[in-house]
Amino acid sequence: MSIRVTFLGTSGAVPTTERNPSSLMVNREGDGLLFDVGEGTQRQMMRFGTGFSISHIFITHLHGDHVLGLPGLIQTMDFNDREEPLAIHAPRGTRSEVEDLLYAANTRPSFRVRVNEVDDGDVALTQSDYEVRVIEADHRTKAIGYAIVEDDRKGRFDREKAEELGVPVGPKFGRLHEGEPVELEDGTVVRPEQVVGDTRPGRRVVYTGDTRPIAATVEVAEDADLLVHDATFADDFAERAGQTGHSTARQAAEIAARANAKRLAMTHISSRYAGDVSDHERQARETFDGEAFVPDDGQTVEVPYPDAE
């Protein structure tokens, strides 16, 4: 079961010729989840082939570089005769502003749009085997982040051991794997723990949006398979990072190291760095032993299971 993350926009407050404002597309086995909708997001979706099959949009905060692409995206969905409802999750207290933005062109889509206000600690979306949790952020306005957290998976089924115990190939294998004991023809009872290993962790993808480095991110990103963290500045503008509610690459790496994350993707790169992010990557790697990188717009990464072979 795949998780595919496409970086649609990795620039800071303003677009550059190489980078669009903030937007992140996550496809989890057909579920399209869009995080932030900077100006031009719909064109990025067309350019990089993500498609428009999304049912949930997650907004971190209402600064323009994170939401100005929303009216155009909704209008395009309407032009494409969309019928499925759409949920937009946004920080608590911002519903009226989001709705004003949606209908700024004095048009209303033919499909239902629901704005769901959320706060850190909430669960914005619950599915059968994963959820999207709302996490704390520290920015200059009401801001939040999000974490995609999968349920633990069943342990591996030891077919060879089951056959040694006399379990016939067939439905009883499935019952054991589901946690149900089975009785054999001779009356012997085989229990799941005899043939099923320990539960295995699901995956965790954390998207901070714009934020200063905070301890809450460390907690939610513990052992994360991918941490997407604000890294607007390099060390040369560390003071400005704090003043404007952002992080440096080194600070993002420190969070990743403390959380024992496996990979760190640094986004929201200030336009002052143009196409050269070498300082970001060097400073992050001095602090974090895992994989640290600044993604290009359009870059896609696959998130494997922690125990993938």
Side-chain angles (χ1 to χ4, degrees), residues 71-83:
L73 176 60
I74 298 299
Q75 182 170 277
T76 294
M77 289 177 170
D78 198 30
F79 286 162
N80 289 339
D81 298 322
R82 180 187 176 107
E83 296 180 353

Side-chain angles (χ1 to χ4, degrees), residues 65-134:
D65 56 319
H66 292 255
V67 296
L68 286 179
L70 193 56
L73 176 60
I74 298 299
Q75 182 170 277
T76 294
M77 289 177 170
D78 198 30
F79 286 162
N80 289 339
D81 298 322
R82 180 187 176 107
E83 296 180 353
E84 298 81 10
L86 176 69
I88 300 174
H89 309 273
R92 191 168 306 281
T94 63
R95 178 182 286 113
S96 61
E97 288 92 340
V98 172
E99 290 177 343
D100 287 345
L101 185 63
L102 287 174
Y103 310 129
N106 200 31
T107 59
R108 288 183 176 268
S110 57
F111 57 93
R112 180 173 175 247
V113 179
R114 175 176 62 90
V115 178
N116 177 39
E117 293 186 324
V118 292
D119 210 342
D120 58 274
D122 292 345
V123 176
L125 173 65
T126 301
Q127 299 289 60
S128 59
D129 52 0
Y130 74 94
E131 60 187 22
V132 179
R133 301 175 185 172
V134 185

